[in-house]
Each structure stands twice: as C-alpha cells, then as structure tokens.
Amino acid sequence: MKSKQTSFDIAYRAGVSQSTVSRALRNSPLVNEETRRRVQEIAAELNYKVDKNASSLRTQQSGTIALLLFEDPTNDDSLINPFFLSMLGSITRASAKKGYDLLVSFQQMSNDWHADFEDTRKADGIILLGYGDYTDYEEKLVQLIKQETHFVRWGADVKGLSVVSVGCDNFHGGYQVTEHVINKNRKNFAFLGGVTTGSPEFLDRYKGHCQALKDNNLAVDSKLQIDAVSTDESGYLAAKQLLENGVTFDAICAASDLIAIGAMRAVQEAGYNIPKDIAVVGFDDIATASSTFPAMTTAKQDTVLAGELLVDKLLQLVRGEEAQTQLMPTTLVVRKSCGS
Amino acid sequence: MKSKQTSFDIAYRAGVSQSTVSRALRNSPLVNEETRRRVQEIAAELNYKVDKNASSLRTQQSGTIALLLFEDPTNDDSLINPFFLSMLGSITRASAKKGYDLLVSFQQMSNDWHADFEDTRKADGIILLGYGDYTDYEEKLVQLIKQETHFVRWGADVKGLSVVSVGCDNFHGGYQVTEHVINKNRKNFAFLGGVTTGSPEFLDRYKGHCQALKDNNLAVDSKLQIDAVSTDESGYLAAKQLLENGVTFDAICAASDLIAIGAMRAVQEAGYNIPKDIAVVGFDDIATASSTFPAMTTAKQDTVLAGELLVDKLLQLVRGEEAQTQLMPTTLVVRKSCGS
DNA sequence: CTGAAAGCGCTTACAG
DNA sequence: CTGAAAGCGCTTACAG
C-alpha cells in the first residue's frame, strides 16, 4: 500500500497494456466494455489515481482555474473584505460544479505580477478579483492580454481594453438605494466613499446617487461627500468628519456595507437615532448587513450568480469561444435602517 | 510572443545547454554567476516561467497545499459558514507566506472521498476543515492515514488515531463565557447547540459550560439545552422552542455566534431586552459579532493563528518531521450582550 | 478493440 | 562550472 501506484501497476494486474489502462480510465469509447470495467475495478481497489501533473503535462491543460485576489495595500494585513470572501466562496463552488479545481492566491497590488503569470502554467485561466487603485491595475491587464492569457475579472467594465468583466450595475444600484431613501422623505444626503477614477465602482455608485438626487430636484452638496475606503474603520472616521463639518443631513448613502457599518456606529455614538434622525443605506449586502441594528437596507450584489458567471465566461474563453462582459442588476434589500 | 516558451528556447538564446538554464533558474550554486545572470535576464525578457507540471512531475512535489472544506449537507447549498470562510482566508494567507499555492475544494460530507485523494497528486499535503457528523468523518481519517497522506485537520483532538489537529480549547472556552455571564448575576442558563458525539466541538463547549455552572453551584437543567446546528436560522428556531418551553431563564450560551445571532432575533421579537432580561453569549467571534445589537460578547477563536499553525504543521509533516496536535486558547471578547 | 512508442518540459545524477 | 542523457507518469497518434 505504500509506494505510489502507476498506470503500469494497474496494467500488470489487469493483464493489459498501460495504454489500455489509460483509455479505460478516461472512459474512451475505444476500449472494450468488459476490459474497462475490470481496469476500473482494479484501479479503485488499489486506490489508484491518475497523476495530474503527468496528465496535465501531456495534454497541456490543467483542469484548474486560478483565482487572484488582490487587495488595496492600505488594508489590514490579516483581514479579507467579507464581500470578497463571499465571492471566493461562490467561485469555489462554481468551479467545483464545472469539475475544475481552484487555485487561490493573494496578491498585493503593488507586487510584481510576473510571479503570478506563473499560475498560467498551473491553470487554464485566471479570475481577477479585488479593489485597488485602478490605474496600477490597468497595466497588468494590458500585460495579461499581450500574453494571451485567458482571464476574466470582477468589476466595472473597462473602456478601451478588450477584457471580459462581470460586475454589478453600480450606477443603477446607487440610483436605486438613493431613490428609496428619497421616498422616505429625506432631503439632505451625505455620501461616504472615495469617488476617484481609481475606484470606478464607488464612482459609479456616486454618479447614480447624484443622478437620483437631481431627478428629484434635490441638491448635491460636495461638502457632504467624504472619501472612505471599504472598511468599517474608514466609514467610522468619515462619518465623524461629516458630523464635525456641521452641515446638516438626514441620510447617509455609503459606498459599501462596511462603510455603512462604521458610519452607523459613529452616528449612534453621537446620539442620533437610526433611522429616525438619520437614514443609512449600504451597498453589497454582506452577511453582517442583516445583523446590524437596525438591520441595514442595502443594494445586494448577487455573489452566487457572480461566481457562476465568472467561471462560465472564463471557461468559454478557455474553450476558445467568445465571451461577453456582463452587468448584473443589483437588488434593493429593504430592512430597517431607513425607516419602515 | 505567442507560442509557449520552453527552457530550450532560453538555452538557445543564452548559448548554453538546457540543463544550465534549469540550474540557473533554480539558483543552483553550481552555475557561474555571470551565466546565471544572463539566463535569468533572458528568461525575464521572454517572460518565461518554468512549467510547474513538468517540474512537479519530475521532482514529485507540487509546492501546493490542498484545502478540503467539507460541510454538513443540511446546510444551505450556497452559503459558507463565515467562520470557515475566515479560516479559508487565513489559510490562504499563511500558505502564500510559505510560498505554497492553495488548492481549494468543497466536499459534501456524504460524498465519496476517493475523488479527493486525487488531490494528493496535485498537492503535497491536505488540510481538512469543516463541521459534519464526526462518525462519518472518522473513517475517512483512517483511510487517509492508511494511504500515508500528509494531512492536518482543524478541530477537536481525535482519541485513538494518530492525527495532527489544531483546534481551540472548546471546554475552556465554554467555561470562560459561562463564567463571565455568571459574574453578571445570571442564574438560569440555557444552552443552544447540538451536544452529540457527532459534533465534538459543541459537546466540549457544553461540557465547559456545565462545569462552570457546577463550580458556581448553579443547576444544569436539561430542559434548557436545545439542539441547533451552526446557522442563525437554527439558532432562531431553537430559541423559539426554548421560549415556548415555558422554563424561565436569564441567560443563553450559544454554541456558535451564528446560533447566538438567531437566538437574539427570536428573543427580541418576543419582546425581551438583551441584556437586561436575557444575556446572550456566542462562540467564534465572526466579523458579524461586533455589529449585532447589542454587540455580542463571545469567545474568540483566533483564525489567523489557526491558519498559520495548520500550514506550519502540515509543512512539517511534508518535510518528514514530527508535528504535534495543538490546542489554542480562546479569548473572551466582552461587548454588550451580557450587560456592562 | 489493443499495444508499442513518442513526447509533454522539466530536474538531476553522471561524466567531464 | 557545463553538457548529454535518462526519466518523472501520463496521453494519443500510429499500426495492427
């Protein structure tokens, strides 16, 4: 039971050639029904498994997908954004469903991605996932394209480059949540989240937010927009700053749930009631959103669907087919944080 | 730039043999400084990367770790327990730090694990992670041992089998949280969580819980122990059942944060105030625990440390060294759900 | 339907 | 310090 079994061992016991073993194990139609059964039986008995390295080397395809999770270097080293964690989970599930293994690796945005292209050798394709400054990011995409790597990415559509993306309709999502709060009779809206071109998702949400305000004849006050990255700490700080500004507001639209959670804490600590004094909406619908107090109203990004789309499209690319960028709709999840 | 480069291409351009290229790229001391530099330069220029399949096949080691996440089949198909998600994150980080790739795969407990042993071929070792009925689980361990697979697991120590485990001191953790609540002058304790030998973690927490009660001359009432699996829905249902029992209680110890979250909802819906009427403690310290209302007091399991220990020990095994089972202490995280 | 043989791209004794 | 050569364990034309 000790030393590693090879197809030759199976062949010997089955009394056939090694080629036949290989065929039988891959269910080749070329092999006799009875022979196949016998070979498979013996293989199972000896607990033999095909060596993937050898077979990948031979066929030049690995049956694995690489997931590159990259992060904003400003983030805490030890924590992963729960939204991405949930994407990770659904991608794992989706690739398992397709019979692919998933190789996961972390990457600091600042790193030399050359090291990662290495994964190309171990994987048939790559899924890119993460926030980070978009400007850095773009050159890496160009490089991936130049290398003819099969890859898809999570995020806003990329103008110019021919990259397959799956993302949410952030503009619409921003519009949607803002409109919902407007319908709760709020007039003065703050927005928490960085709105540079470096983070196109947040920017789009902000644009949707502003559009909803305009469509309802409400003012957009730039003093009420405070930059924040997607952590609750950053949201807390941003909300505190907002409070200190002295500008009045009765609603906060946060660019992410994490930001919203931090903001809720700051607002409550300052003695305000949510939603009576201040309504708060998030974006993402991470697991925590349903457990905050009050439970958070937010725009849900469907991570399960996202994971499936990402691997489906990647696999299309791997098979040499065309694949299209796709924008998923967000759905409004109404809970308590904007009133009932 | 199109077709795949091999070490022969590099050799040709560098004017050396393919063997020398291989040596230069692996920083073999055998190769001349100047030659090495030249080869590496050319390799970088052509964006050449060693084919891992070939090199793994040749060296018989893959430089990758497989993570097997298995789940209770009763769980919702699409969601992953946030505690495990966070473990997944820290394991990914820890293995990256050691220069290992991480192959992630999901497994239903009920499945034939033969399929997974396949991973043995792609990975140097396996990390086992998940809840599930322990009795099923045990045979799989026996099989892994028989196959001399390098593996470590997360969880309670296994009596009898020589398996390397990393887990928390669940008994102590259960004791710790219960004692804390006792100090808040509570007298009648409910425990939510299944306490069969099928889930040794919960059982140990319960035992610690009971011990703390006994040490403080408090009664253990079996009517106040309700089975639950680790989901908030199950916690909600268990707490409702508890409420309907009509037995009075002023504290709930939940076997996990998820259960506690569901229980808090049920209790609050029934019109009770937390912590005034009923104190609630959880176990795990998942991200959500700090955002519940009131914020949850719980026993923290350090997932970052756990991830590191798990990969360290696995790597020891891979290198042929001894590795020891290790129990980590839990730490009490005091928030608001038991009063201040 | 089956077997003998080539070859995937490396690593590493072996000989110099 | 360098090169020629064997071999890791498969898959798949090729020939029968």
Side-chain angles (χ1 to χ4, degrees):
Chain A
M1 208 76 204
K2 172 72 188 290
S3 87
K4 197 169 152 182
Q5 307 277 351
T6 73
S7 51
F8 285 93
D9 299 316
I10 310 298
Y12 177 77
R13 310 226 183 191
V16 295
S17 75
Q18 181 272 146
S19 334
T20 300
V21 170
S22 179
R23 289 196 192 93
L25 260 19
R26 323 192 92 225
N27 289 315
S28 159
L30 287 175
V31 65
N32 178 294
E33 181 64 21
E34 160 59 18
T35 313
R36 185 211 323 281
R37 199 176 19 245
R38 192 153 39 88
V39 169
Q40 293 192 342
E41 233 173 72
I42 294 173
E45 204 174 296
L46 298 187
N47 222 291
Y48 166 79
K49 292 293 163 192
V50 170
D51 184 311
K52 289 268 196 168
N53 289 130
S55 105
S56 296
L57 175 59
R58 184 53 234 245
T59 60
Q60 296 294 76
Q61 44 176 260
S62 62
T64 109
I65 292 174
L67 173 61
L68 242 60
L69 260 171
F70 49 88
E71 316 169 78
D72 199 310
T74 55
N75 275 354
D76 179 316
D77 191 56
S78 62
L79 261 24
I80 305 173
N81 180 317
F83 176 74
F84 289 127
L85 219 40
S86 139
M87 286 287 287
L88 197 169
S90 68
I91 290 170
T92 307
R93 271 243 169 52
S95 50
K97 207 187 283 177
K98 296 289 181 179
Y100 275 72
D101 286 320
L102 218 227
L103 208 51
V104 179
S105 85
F106 276 93
Q107 210 50 40
Q108 291 295 92
M109 242 322 178
S110 48
N111 278 13
D112 180 12
W113 277 21
H114 276 294
D116 301 329
F117 297 148
E118 199 163 343
D119 287 333
T120 315
R121 301 290 165 144
K122 295 180 86 173
D124 299 332
I126 299 183
I127 296 176
L128 260 27
L129 180 61
Y131 286 139
D133 191 328
Y134 189 72
T135 15
D136 290 351
Y137 184 45
E138 190 159 3
E139 346 167 339
K140 324 248 181 184
L141 294 186
V142 174
Q143 215 171 131
L144 280 174
I145 294 171
K146 205 171 81 190
Q147 301 206 320
E148 306 192 356
T149 302
H150 301 299
F151 75 101
V152 296
R153 56 183 287 280
W154 169 256
D157 195 13
V158 182
K159 65 282 150 164
L161 299 177
S162 69
V163 166
V164 176
S165 304
V166 172
C168 269
D169 189 338
N170 289 299
F171 179 89
H172 178 69
Y175 193 100
Q176 196 174 29
V177 288
T178 305
E179 191 174 43
H180 174 257
V181 185
I182 291 172
N183 290 336
K184 299 292 172 189
N185 283 313
R186 307 297 163 136
K187 304 294 180 201
N188 302 295
F189 283 73
F191 186 92
L192 267 32
V195 296
T196 66
T197 51
S199 57
E201 286 86 359
F202 281 13
L203 183 55
D204 283 346
R205 290 170 200 176
Y206 183 61
K207 285 182 180 161
H209 168 77
C210 294
Q211 189 62 49
L213 292 180
K214 282 179 203 143
D215 288 355
N216 288 275
N217 300 313
L218 258 24
V220 174
D221 183 348
S222 66
K223 280 212 220 57
L224 288 173
Q225 183 274 313
I226 311 274
D227 285 347
V229 299
S230 199
T231 66
D232 70 341
E233 197 49 29
S234 179
Y236 178 80
L237 262 22
K240 272 193 105 80
Q241 189 184 328
L242 186 65
L243 258 8
E244 285 162 11
N245 274 355
V247 191
T248 60
F249 58 94
D250 53 12
I252 294 177
C253 294
S256 78
D257 285 352
L258 245 23
I259 293 176
I261 287 169
M264 286 173 73
R265 189 154 53 88
V267 164
Q268 288 174 148
E269 279 181 15
Y272 293 99
N273 179 284
I274 300 173
K276 202 162 70 70
D277 304 322
I278 298 174
V280 177
V281 284
F283 204 107
D284 285 345
D285 196 30
I286 59 177
T288 303
S290 62
S291 302
T292 56
F293 182 81
M296 193 190 299
T297 292
T298 191
K300 177 188 174 73
Q301 306 201 64
D302 186 341
T303 55
V304 173
L305 178 59
E308 280 169 5
L309 288 175
L310 247 8
V311 341
D312 284 355
K313 286 174 192 296
L314 179 59
L315 261 21
Q316 282 168 24
L317 257 23
V318 168
R319 287 190 301 263
E321 302 167 17
E322 292 284 309
Q324 302 301 324
T325 284
Q326 186 167 338
L327 235 49
M328 309 189 308
T330 54
T331 65
L332 182 68
V333 179
V334 178
R335 286 192 273 247
K336 311 281 186 182
S337 64
C338 299
S340 50
Chain B
M1 208 77 203
K2 173 73 189 288
S3 87
K4 197 168 152 182
Q5 308 275 353
T6 72
S7 51
F8 285 93
D9 299 316
I10 310 298
Y12 177 76
R13 310 226 181 190
V16 294
S17 75
Q18 182 272 146
S19 334
T20 300
V21 170
S22 179
R23 288 195 192 95
L25 261 19
R26 323 193 92 227
N27 289 314
S28 158
L30 287 175
V31 64
N32 177 296
E33 181 65 20
E34 160 59 17
T35 313
R36 186 211 323 281
R37 199 175 21 244
R38 191 154 39 87
V39 168
Q40 293 192 342
E41 232 172 72
I42 294 173
E45 204 173 297
L46 298 186
N47 222 291
Y48 165 81
K49 291 294 162 191
V50 170
D51 184 311
K52 288 270 195 165
N53 289 130
S55 106
S56 296
L57 175 59
R58 185 53 236 243
T59 59
Q60 296 295 78
Q61 44 176 261
S62 61
T64 108
I65 292 174
L67 174 61
L68 243 59
L69 259 172
F70 48 86
E71 317 168 80
D72 200 309
T74 56
N75 276 355
D76 179 316
D77 191 57
S78 61
L79 261 26
I80 306 172
N81 181 317
F83 175 74
F84 288 128
L85 220 39
S86 137
M87 286 287 287
L88 196 169
S90 68
I91 290 170
T92 307
R93 270 244 169 52
S95 48
K97 207 186 285 177
K98 296 289 181 178
Y100 275 71
D101 287 319
L102 218 227
L103 207 52
V104 179
S105 84
F106 276 94
Q107 210 50 40
Q108 291 297 91
M109 241 321 179
S110 47
N111 279 14
D112 180 11
W113 276 20
H114 276 294
D116 302 329
F117 296 149
E118 199 162 343
D119 288 333
T120 315
R121 301 291 165 142
K122 296 180 84 173
D124 299 333
I126 297 183
I127 297 176
L128 261 28
L129 181 62
Y131 284 141
D133 191 327
Y134 189 72
T135 15
D136 289 353
Y137 183 46
E138 189 159 6
E139 344 167 341
K140 325 247 179 184
L141 294 186
V142 174
Q143 217 172 127
L144 280 174
I145 295 170
K146 206 171 80 192
Q147 300 207 320
E148 306 192 357
T149 302
H150 301 298
F151 75 100
V152 296
R153 56 183 287 279
W154 168 255
D157 194 14
V158 182
K159 64 283 155 168
L161 299 178
S162 67
V163 166
V164 176
S165 304
V166 173
C168 269
D169 188 338
N170 289 299
F171 178 90
H172 179 70
Y175 192 100
Q176 195 173 31
V177 287
T178 305
E179 193 174 43
H180 174 256
V181 185
I182 291 172
N183 290 335
K184 299 293 173 187
N185 283 314
R186 308 297 162 136
K187 304 292 180 202
N188 302 296
F189 283 74
F191 186 91
L192 266 32
V195 295
T196 66
T197 50
S199 57
E201 286 86 359
F202 282 13
L203 183 56
D204 283 346
R205 290 170 200 176
Y206 183 61
K207 284 181 181 162
H209 167 78
C210 294
Q211 189 63 48
L213 293 180
K214 280 178 204 144
D215 288 354
N216 289 275
N217 300 313
L218 258 22
V220 174
D221 182 349
S222 67
K223 280 212 219 57
L224 287 173
Q225 183 274 314
I226 312 274
D227 283 348
V229 298
S230 199
T231 66
D232 69 342
E233 196 51 29
S234 179
Y236 179 79
L237 263 22
K240 272 193 105 79
Q241 190 185 328
L242 187 65
L243 259 7
E244 284 160 12
N245 273 356
V247 191
T248 60
F249 59 93
D250 53 10
I252 294 178
C253 293
S256 78
D257 285 351
L258 246 23
I259 293 176
I261 287 169
M264 285 172 75
R265 189 154 53 89
V267 164
Q268 288 173 148
E269 279 182 16
Y272 293 99
N273 178 283
I274 300 172
K276 203 164 68 72
D277 304 322
I278 298 173
V280 178
V281 283
F283 204 107
D284 283 348
D285 196 30
I286 60 177
T288 303
S290 61
S291 303
T292 56
F293 182 81
M296 193 189 300
T297 292
T298 191
K300 178 187 175 72
Q301 305 202 65
D302 186 341
T303 55
V304 172
L305 177 61
E308 279 169 5
L309 287 175
L310 247 7
V311 341
D312 284 355
K313 285 173 192 296
L314 179 59
L315 261 22
Q316 282 169 24
L317 256 23
V318 168
R319 287 190 300 263
E321 302 167 16
E322 292 286 308
Q324 302 302 324
T325 285
Q326 186 167 339
L327 235 48
M328 308 189 308
T330 54
T331 64
L332 181 68
V333 179
V334 178
R335 285 192 274 248
K336 309 281 185 180
S337 64
C338 299
S340 49

